[in-house]
Amino acid sequence: MENFATFVEFLKVYGGAILALLGAALAALMAGIGSAKGVGIVGESAAGLITEDPEKFGQSLILQVIPGTQGFYGFITALIVLQRVGLLGGGLKPLTLSQGFLLLMACLPMAFVGLYSAISQGKTAAAGIQILAKRPEKMFNGVIYAVMVETYAVVALITSILMIVNIKI
């Protein structure tokens, strides 16, 4: 381990990598939190339905898994950053502060949209559970409503990926 006389010296050497890894962590963390919250919201609603009608477990499970996709999108975003900075290959590439800052910024669309869209999608899918309870033949209308929220998570994922892969390292 290198010895640094000042914190500024430490940041000059590792600041870029720290910012890049912070971006990767935020993408995985925030999207994962949103998915956990969204899946939980639907699960609570589905549990109420299943106590009354256990035969609808499979259909309710379809609605419950939908908000989980944002967590995977955040994970994919983090993996791409880790690959770009060389961490998956065993050797962290030296990054400038500006490169690290750009990678951090590139992760933010997936981090924030992943968090909020997963929670919103969970609420929408929970409303789909109500459709399933009252009019089971219209259950896929609830699925479509929930999938519409997904659009914005996909847009954020694509935005983050395009920014990450186009940053010169």
Side-chain angles (χ1 to χ4, degrees), residues 50-144:
I50 298 308
T51 58
E52 299 292 324
D53 191 355
E55 298 296 318
K56 292 179 179 169
F57 173 75
Q59 291 171 303
S60 66
L61 195 58
I62 293 170
L63 285 161
Q64 189 184 15
V65 299
I66 294 172
T69 55
Q70 284 86 346
F72 288 110
Y73 298 162
F75 178 65
I76 290 167
T77 303
L79 282 179
I80 294 170
V81 170
L82 296 178
Q83 187 275 330
R84 293 286 331 264
V85 302
L87 202 59
L88 295 180
L92 191 61
K93 296 176 183 175
L95 297 173
T96 65
L97 275 175
S98 64
Q99 289 170 323
F101 187 73
L102 290 173
L103 286 168
L104 170 63
M105 292 296 108
C107 291
L108 294 183
M110 191 62 248
F112 284 100
V113 176
L115 173 67
Y116 289 110
S117 70
I119 295 170
S120 295
Q121 197 170 41
K123 292 175 181 176
T124 306
I129 294 291
Q130 301 305 314
I131 294 172
L132 177 62
K134 295 178 181 169
R135 298 192 60 194
E137 73 279 2
K138 298 290 185 183
M139 189 272 289
F140 278 100
N141 289 357
V143 171
I144 291 169

